Amino acid sequence: MKALLRKLNKPRVLPWLWLGGSTLLLGFFVELSSELSETSSDSIQSIDTFIVEQAVAFRMPWLDGVAMDFTALGSTAVLTFFCLLFFVLMMLLGKKQQAAQLAIIASSAAILTQVLKGWFERSRPEESLRLVRAIGYSYPSGHSLSSAAIYLTLAILACVLFKTHLQRLTVLLFTAFLIGVIGLSRIYLGVHYPSDVAAGILLGVAWACFWQCLFLVFPLKR
Protein backbone atom coordinates (compact mmCIF):
# COMPACT_ATOMS: atom_id res chain seq x y z
CA MET A 1 0.00 0.00 0.00
CA LYS A 2 2.82 2.40 0.89
CA ALA A 3 4.56 1.58 -2.38
CA LEU A 4 1.37 2.40 -4.32
CA LEU A 5 0.98 5.71 -2.49
CA ARG A 6 4.59 6.61 -3.26
CA LYS A 7 3.99 5.91 -6.97
CA LEU A 8 0.80 7.99 -7.00
CA ASN A 9 2.57 10.83 -5.20
CA LYS A 10 5.17 11.26 -7.93
CA PRO A 11 5.27 14.74 -9.54
CA ARG A 12 4.43 13.32 -12.99
CA VAL A 13 1.43 11.32 -11.77
CA LEU A 14 -0.18 13.58 -9.18
CA PRO A 15 -1.47 16.32 -11.53
CA TRP A 16 -3.23 13.73 -13.68
CA LEU A 17 -4.95 12.29 -10.63
CA TRP A 18 -6.29 15.73 -9.72
CA LEU A 19 -7.37 16.32 -13.32
CA GLY A 20 -9.01 12.89 -13.52
CA GLY A 21 -10.93 13.49 -10.32
CA SER A 22 -12.02 16.92 -11.51
CA THR A 23 -13.21 15.55 -14.87
CA LEU A 24 -15.15 12.72 -13.25
CA LEU A 25 -16.94 15.00 -10.79
CA LEU A 26 -17.65 17.55 -13.51
CA GLY A 27 -19.22 14.76 -15.55
CA PHE A 28 -21.54 13.90 -12.66
CA PHE A 29 -22.49 17.58 -12.35
CA VAL A 30 -23.27 17.85 -16.07
CA GLU A 31 -25.35 14.66 -15.93
CA LEU A 32 -27.34 15.89 -12.94
CA SER A 33 -27.88 19.28 -14.56
CA SER A 34 -29.07 17.71 -17.81
CA GLU A 35 -31.50 15.48 -15.92
CA LEU A 36 -32.99 18.52 -14.21
CA SER A 37 -33.35 20.31 -17.54
CA GLU A 38 -35.23 17.45 -19.23
CA THR A 39 -38.84 16.34 -18.92
CA SER A 40 -37.76 13.67 -16.44
CA SER A 41 -36.96 16.50 -14.02
CA ASP A 42 -40.48 16.12 -12.56
CA SER A 43 -39.45 12.89 -10.84
CA ILE A 44 -36.30 14.51 -9.45
CA GLN A 45 -38.38 17.47 -8.28
CA SER A 46 -40.79 15.14 -6.48
CA ILE A 47 -37.95 13.35 -4.69
CA ASP A 48 -36.31 16.68 -3.82
CA THR A 49 -39.54 18.08 -2.39
CA PHE A 50 -40.24 14.90 -0.42
CA ILE A 51 -36.80 14.97 1.22
CA VAL A 52 -37.12 18.65 2.14
CA GLU A 53 -40.57 18.01 3.64
CA GLN A 54 -39.16 15.12 5.69
CA ALA A 55 -36.34 17.36 6.92
CA VAL A 56 -38.92 19.98 7.94
CA ALA A 57 -40.93 17.37 9.84
CA PHE A 58 -37.76 16.30 11.67
CA ARG A 59 -36.97 19.78 12.97
CA MET A 60 -36.33 20.34 16.66
CA PRO A 61 -35.40 23.61 18.43
CA TRP A 62 -31.87 22.49 19.35
CA LEU A 63 -31.24 21.14 15.84
CA ASP A 64 -32.43 24.42 14.34
CA GLY A 65 -29.63 26.24 16.14
CA VAL A 66 -27.02 23.65 15.15
CA ALA A 67 -28.10 23.83 11.50
CA MET A 68 -27.88 27.62 11.47
CA ASP A 69 -24.41 27.49 13.05
CA PHE A 70 -23.15 25.04 10.46
CA THR A 71 -24.77 26.86 7.55
CA ALA A 72 -23.00 30.05 8.68
CA LEU A 73 -19.66 28.31 7.99
CA GLY A 74 -20.58 28.34 4.31
CA SER A 75 -21.79 31.93 4.23
CA THR A 76 -20.10 34.61 2.17
CA ALA A 77 -19.05 36.54 5.27
CA VAL A 78 -17.37 33.61 7.03
CA LEU A 79 -15.70 32.26 3.88
CA THR A 80 -14.42 35.72 2.99
CA PHE A 81 -13.00 36.11 6.50
CA PHE A 82 -11.18 32.76 6.33
CA CYS A 83 -9.86 33.49 2.84
CA LEU A 84 -8.54 36.91 3.80
CA LEU A 85 -6.98 35.53 6.99
CA PHE A 86 -5.16 32.69 5.25
CA PHE A 87 -4.27 34.85 2.26
CA VAL A 88 -2.49 37.34 4.52
CA LEU A 89 -0.77 34.55 6.48
CA MET A 90 0.47 32.90 3.30
CA MET A 91 1.78 36.17 1.92
CA LEU A 92 3.61 36.89 5.19
CA LEU A 93 5.16 33.41 5.05
CA GLY A 94 6.23 33.95 1.46
CA LYS A 95 3.81 31.34 0.10
CA LYS A 96 2.74 33.39 -2.91
CA GLN A 97 1.63 30.43 -5.02
CA GLN A 98 -0.65 29.11 -2.28
CA ALA A 99 -2.03 32.61 -1.69
CA ALA A 100 -2.73 33.02 -5.42
CA GLN A 101 -4.42 29.62 -5.59
CA LEU A 102 -6.72 30.47 -2.69
CA ALA A 103 -7.55 33.89 -4.12
CA ILE A 104 -8.43 32.44 -7.52
CA ILE A 105 -10.58 29.69 -6.02
CA ALA A 106 -12.49 32.08 -3.75
CA SER A 107 -13.23 34.67 -6.42
CA SER A 108 -14.00 32.23 -9.24
CA ALA A 109 -16.29 30.11 -7.06
CA ALA A 110 -18.40 33.16 -6.30
CA ILE A 111 -18.59 34.12 -9.99
CA LEU A 112 -19.35 30.54 -11.03
CA THR A 113 -22.21 30.36 -8.53
CA GLN A 114 -23.89 33.52 -9.80
CA VAL A 115 -23.48 32.58 -13.47
CA LEU A 116 -24.94 29.10 -12.99
CA LYS A 117 -27.83 30.30 -10.83
CA GLY A 118 -28.74 32.79 -13.53
CA TRP A 119 -28.43 30.10 -16.19
CA PHE A 120 -30.66 27.47 -14.56
CA GLU A 121 -33.07 29.88 -12.78
CA ARG A 122 -34.42 27.17 -10.50
CA SER A 123 -36.75 28.39 -7.77
CA ARG A 124 -36.08 27.59 -4.13
CA PRO A 125 -38.39 25.41 -2.02
CA GLU A 126 -41.64 27.08 -1.00
CA GLU A 127 -41.35 29.80 1.63
CA SER A 128 -43.52 27.80 4.02
CA LEU A 129 -40.72 25.19 4.18
CA ARG A 130 -37.92 27.66 4.88
CA LEU A 131 -36.64 28.22 8.39
CA VAL A 132 -34.47 31.18 7.38
CA ARG A 133 -34.72 33.91 4.78
CA ALA A 134 -33.04 33.20 1.44
CA ILE A 135 -33.02 35.14 -1.81
CA GLY A 136 -32.00 34.33 -5.37
CA TYR A 137 -32.17 31.13 -7.34
CA SER A 138 -31.63 27.66 -5.94
CA TYR A 139 -29.40 25.66 -8.32
CA PRO A 140 -26.64 25.04 -7.53
CA SER A 141 -26.30 25.74 -3.81
CA GLY A 142 -23.85 28.61 -3.40
CA HIS A 143 -23.04 27.63 0.19
CA SER A 144 -22.18 24.10 -0.94
CA LEU A 145 -20.19 25.11 -4.01
CA SER A 146 -18.11 27.80 -2.30
CA SER A 147 -17.49 25.86 0.91
CA ALA A 148 -16.47 22.74 -1.05
CA ALA A 149 -14.07 24.69 -3.28
CA ILE A 150 -12.55 26.86 -0.53
CA TYR A 151 -12.36 24.40 2.38
CA LEU A 152 -10.98 21.65 0.15
CA THR A 153 -8.34 24.03 -1.22
CA LEU A 154 -7.35 25.00 2.33
CA ALA A 155 -7.15 21.31 3.26
CA ILE A 156 -4.98 20.53 0.21
CA LEU A 157 -2.64 23.39 1.05
CA ALA A 158 -2.54 22.33 4.72
CA CYS A 159 -1.65 18.73 3.83
CA VAL A 160 1.91 19.75 2.93
CA LEU A 161 2.45 20.54 6.61
CA PHE A 162 1.86 16.92 7.57
CA LYS A 163 4.38 14.15 6.96
CA THR A 164 2.28 10.97 7.13
CA HIS A 165 -0.50 9.83 4.83
CA LEU A 166 -2.71 9.15 7.88
CA GLN A 167 -2.44 12.75 9.01
CA ARG A 168 -3.27 14.03 5.53
CA LEU A 169 -6.18 11.61 5.23
CA THR A 170 -7.52 12.84 8.58
CA VAL A 171 -7.44 16.44 7.35
CA LEU A 172 -9.25 15.52 4.13
CA LEU A 173 -11.88 13.41 5.93
CA PHE A 174 -12.60 16.20 8.41
CA THR A 175 -12.95 18.62 5.49
CA ALA A 176 -15.32 16.24 3.70
CA PHE A 177 -17.40 15.99 6.90
CA LEU A 178 -17.54 19.79 7.21
CA ILE A 179 -18.59 20.26 3.59
CA GLY A 180 -21.23 17.54 3.95
CA VAL A 181 -22.71 19.01 7.12
CA ILE A 182 -22.90 22.48 5.58
CA GLY A 183 -24.77 20.98 2.63
CA LEU A 184 -27.17 19.05 4.87
CA SER A 185 -27.88 22.21 6.87
CA ARG A 186 -29.14 23.91 3.71
CA ILE A 187 -31.64 21.10 3.16
CA TYR A 188 -32.68 21.07 6.82
CA LEU A 189 -33.31 24.82 6.77
CA GLY A 190 -35.51 24.36 3.70
CA VAL A 191 -33.63 26.81 1.47
CA HIS A 192 -32.23 24.23 -0.97
CA TYR A 193 -33.20 20.92 -2.55
CA PRO A 194 -30.85 17.91 -2.18
CA SER A 195 -29.96 18.11 -5.88
CA ASP A 196 -28.92 21.76 -5.40
CA VAL A 197 -26.55 20.71 -2.63
CA ALA A 198 -25.22 17.69 -4.54
CA ALA A 199 -24.53 19.84 -7.60
CA GLY A 200 -22.79 22.48 -5.51
CA ILE A 201 -20.51 19.96 -3.81
CA LEU A 202 -19.70 18.15 -7.06
CA LEU A 203 -18.77 21.34 -8.87
CA GLY A 204 -16.96 22.86 -5.89
CA VAL A 205 -14.74 19.82 -5.40
CA ALA A 206 -14.15 19.53 -9.16
CA TRP A 207 -13.15 23.19 -9.30
CA ALA A 208 -10.67 22.83 -6.42
CA CYS A 209 -9.15 19.72 -8.03
CA PHE A 210 -8.85 21.45 -11.40
CA TRP A 211 -6.93 24.42 -10.01
CA GLN A 212 -4.73 22.14 -7.91
CA CYS A 213 -3.77 20.36 -11.13
CA LEU A 214 -3.01 23.65 -12.89
CA PHE A 215 -0.81 24.95 -10.09
CA LEU A 216 1.10 21.66 -9.99
CA VAL A 217 1.72 21.73 -13.74
CA PHE A 218 2.33 25.48 -13.98
CA PRO A 219 3.80 26.62 -10.65
CA LEU A 220 4.36 30.34 -10.17
CA LYS A 221 7.91 31.47 -10.69
CA ARG A 222 9.58 32.76 -7.54
Side-chain angles (χ1 to χ4, degrees):
M1 184 65 178
K2 290 183 179 179
L4 176 61
L5 289 172
R6 279 196 296 269
K7 289 181 180 179
L8 294 178
N9 206 33
K10 287 183 177 180
R12 293 181 180 178
V13 177
L14 203 52
W16 296 107
L17 291 177
W18 288 115
L19 182 59
S22 174
T23 304
L24 180 64
L25 293 171
L26 182 60
F28 286 139
F29 170 77
V30 171
E31 179 63 25
L32 177 58
S33 300
S34 63
E35 288 291 332
L36 285 170
S37 301
E38 295 173 358
T39 54
S40 59
S41 64
D42 289 343
S43 59
I44 297 177
Q45 183 67 46
S46 330
I47 296 171
D48 272 344
T49 304
F50 173 78
I51 293 174
V52 173
E53 289 174 346
Q54 293 305 304
V56 170
F58 190 70
R59 284 177 186 163
M60 290 176 277
W62 70 272
L63 264 181
D64 295 350
V66 171
M68 284 187 272
D69 288 340
F70 273 113
T71 210
L73 294 176
S75 66
T76 301
V78 172
L79 289 175
T80 301
F81 171 77
F82 277 129
C83 287
L84 288 174
L85 175 63
F86 283 99
F87 179 83
V88 171
L89 286 174
M90 289 173 190
M91 290 298 291
L92 290 174
L93 293 171
K95 305 290 185 180
K96 294 183 179 180
Q97 173 162 310
Q98 290 82 348
Q101 185 172 347
L102 180 60
I104 290 174
I105 282 290
S107 55
S108 61
I111 295 171
L112 197 58
T113 297
Q114 294 307 313
V115 170
L116 290 173
K117 282 180 179 287
W119 177 270
F120 289 103
E121 295 186 343
R122 188 187 194 189
S123 300
R124 292 181 184 269
E126 296 179 8
E127 287 193 24
S128 60
L129 300 174
R130 303 179 204 171
L131 192 60
V132 295
R133 182 173 176 270
I135 58 175
Y137 293 115
S138 190
Y139 186 91
S141 164
H143 275 64
S144 299
L145 195 161
S146 294
S147 61
I150 292 171
Y151 285 131
L152 179 56
T153 297
L154 287 173
I156 292 170
L157 298 178
C159 279
V160 300
L161 302 174
F162 299 95
K163 295 182 179 180
T164 69
H165 293 298
L166 180 59
Q167 290 171 332
R168 294 170 182 172
L169 180 61
T170 302
V171 171
L172 293 175
L173 287 176
F174 175 78
T175 304
F177 170 78
L178 177 61
I179 294 169
V181 172
I182 291 172
L184 288 174
S185 72
R186 304 304 287 166
I187 301 170
Y188 179 89
L189 294 174
V191 292
H192 276 295
Y193 294 110
S195 55
D196 300 333
V197 170
I201 293 175
L202 286 171
L203 190 54
V205 173
W207 200 235
C209 292
F210 172 73
W211 281 102
Q212 175 64 7
C213 171
L214 281 187
F215 273 92
L216 285 175
V217 176
F218 305 107
L220 295 181
K221 293 182 180 179
R222 297 188 178 182

